[in-house]
Amino acid sequence: TVGTSGGLGACFYRDKERPAERQAITWSSLDPSIATVSPTSGPETSVTGVSFGITRVRATITGKVVEAQVEVCEPGFRRCA
């Protein structure tokens, strides 16, 4: 919802058994006019809805990338789509 925040975390693995350093994760929003992230580095981030729409939040470490879709609704709506 516009004006509210929620948390995201990520864990990358060097191989099947050894996790990578979580502090090295870099976070970004593909459209900061819809949702922002803070902090932009570390194991977790908070995503804040700025305006109605859909964007993706990206976590990057040593060239590897994962993304999560983020849907921001207007206040008072239970579902956006």
Side-chain angles (χ1 to χ4, degrees), residues 36-75:
T36 60
V37 296
S38 182
T40 57
S41 64
E44 298 174 347
T45 192
S46 180
V47 180
T48 301
V50 175
S51 65
F52 174 79
I54 297 172
T55 188
R56 299 184 74 71
V57 170
R58 178 178 286 171
T60 307
I61 187 171
T62 61
K64 293 183 173 63
V65 176
V66 294
E67 293 180 351
Q69 182 170 299
V70 175
E71 188 172 5
V72 180
C73 300
E74 294 290 342

